[in-house]
Amino acid sequence: QVQLVESGGGLVQAGGSRRLSCAASGNIFGINTMGWYRQTPGNQREWVSDITAGGITKYADSVKGRFTISRDNTKNTVYLQMNSLKPEDTAVYYCNAQIISWKAGNYWGQGTQVTVSA
């Protein structure tokens, strides 16, 4: 059974930094694109960033220049380094991965709360 587990959320002051991690485990044969989404109450889940298996990265305009996504394929882990955080970055952050397994598909983590205080 495939699982994604996020960590690194918490409370941070505006202008500060935070690093999120997401580790995939289980019967994994390979992982294609991994990414991060975020969601605030009453709103749809919003794409933040993703990275291909080959390391090609994309970012939403709202985080470009402040967030950096990376991955360690040996650990099946994706990271999101968040710098210059703003109160509007406050959200639950979800990890997503396209995993090749006995049941291939799109997998989600349970989410980790990031709160940025003004």
Side-chain angles (χ1 to χ4, degrees), residues 74-89:
T74 66
K75 297 180 180 179
N76 290 336
T77 299
V78 63
Y79 306 95
L80 187 68
Q81 177 66 44
M82 304 184 294
N83 298 329
S84 302
L85 282 162
K86 305 175 182 180
E88 51 263 44
D89 294 318

Side-chain angles (χ1 to χ4, degrees), residues 70-106:
S70 61
R71 64 190 283 173
D72 184 338
N73 292 331
T74 66
K75 297 180 180 179
N76 290 336
T77 299
V78 63
Y79 306 95
L80 187 68
Q81 177 66 44
M82 304 184 294
N83 298 329
S84 302
L85 282 162
K86 305 175 182 180
E88 51 263 44
D89 294 318
T90 296
V92 177
Y93 283 73
Y94 295 90
C95 171
N96 173 270
Q98 298 171 1
I99 294 177
I100 304 168
S101 178
W102 293 117
K103 185 181 179 183
N106 219 19

Side-chain angles (χ1 to χ4, degrees), residues 8-79:
L11 176 64
V12 61
Q13 287 189 332
S17 298
R18 203 81 184 177
R19 189 193 195 209
L20 304 182
S21 300
C22 172
S25 62
N27 293 317
I28 297 171
F29 305 139
I31 304 178
N32 291 325
T33 299
M34 303 183 81
W36 291 93
Y37 290 70
R38 65 188 182 186
Q39 189 171 22
T40 53
N43 293 307
Q44 289 190 332
R45 199 166 291 187
E46 170 192 34
W47 171 77
V48 174
S49 178
D50 60 39
I51 182 169
T52 67
I56 297 172
T57 59
K58 294 181 183 177
Y59 298 94
D61 288 343
S62 58
V63 307
K64 202 172 292 183
R66 299 188 298 120
F67 290 10
T68 302
I69 192 170
S70 61
R71 64 190 283 173
D72 184 338
N73 292 331
T74 66
K75 297 180 180 179
N76 290 336
T77 299
V78 63
Y79 306 95

